[in-house]
Amino acid sequence: MPINIYKRNYDRIDYLCEGIWDLPGQIDSLGEWLKTKGILLPKDSYVADIGFDIRKEAAGGGAVLSSESMKIMAKIGMDIYFSEYPELTED
């Protein structure tokens, strides 16, 4: 479930980053989506639910949600959920 974008009533709008679980890449993709598609949505009540995996090797830095993205989200009425999942490995 990397990024599921929907109205608060669960009507799906879009699905981004299938198979990509790293938060920095997902935030970049969401930012691009907001600039090209999200900005065109009418004001309503939306959710961008980002499912991400914890990076074991992370030592600082990471994703940046830009002020431009936040402005678009505020304009269209979008909240962002961060759904953290443990590493999914097969035994």
Side-chain angles (χ1 to χ4, degrees):
M1 178 197 90
I3 303 179
N4 189 14
I5 299 171
Y6 55 90
K7 284 188 174 182
R8 201 160 300 273
N9 67 1
Y10 299 105
D11 286 343
R12 180 176 275 179
I13 304 294
D14 213 338
Y15 187 79
L16 312 175
C17 299
E18 181 149 7
I20 299 170
W21 289 86
D22 72 293
L23 189 58
Q26 292 171 318
I27 293 293
D28 288 344
S29 293
L30 178 61
E32 288 303 313
W33 183 89
L34 286 165
K35 286 190 274 185
T36 59
K37 295 182 180 178
I39 200 165
L40 303 175
L41 293 173
K43 177 100 173 139
D44 207 323
S45 185
Y46 302 101
V47 171
D49 188 357
I50 300 178
F52 68 99
D53 188 11
I54 305 159
R55 297 180 300 149
K56 288 183 190 176
E57 64 283 343
V64 174
L65 185 60
S66 72
S67 59
E68 180 181 8
S69 292
M70 289 187 276
K71 285 176 190 173
I72 295 169
M73 292 172 63
K75 180 180 176 185
I76 64 173
M78 179 176 279
D79 290 331
I80 190 165
Y81 295 173
F82 293 97
S83 299
E84 190 172 13
Y85 291 87
E87 182 178 2
L88 304 173
T89 59
E90 294 181 18
D91 293 329

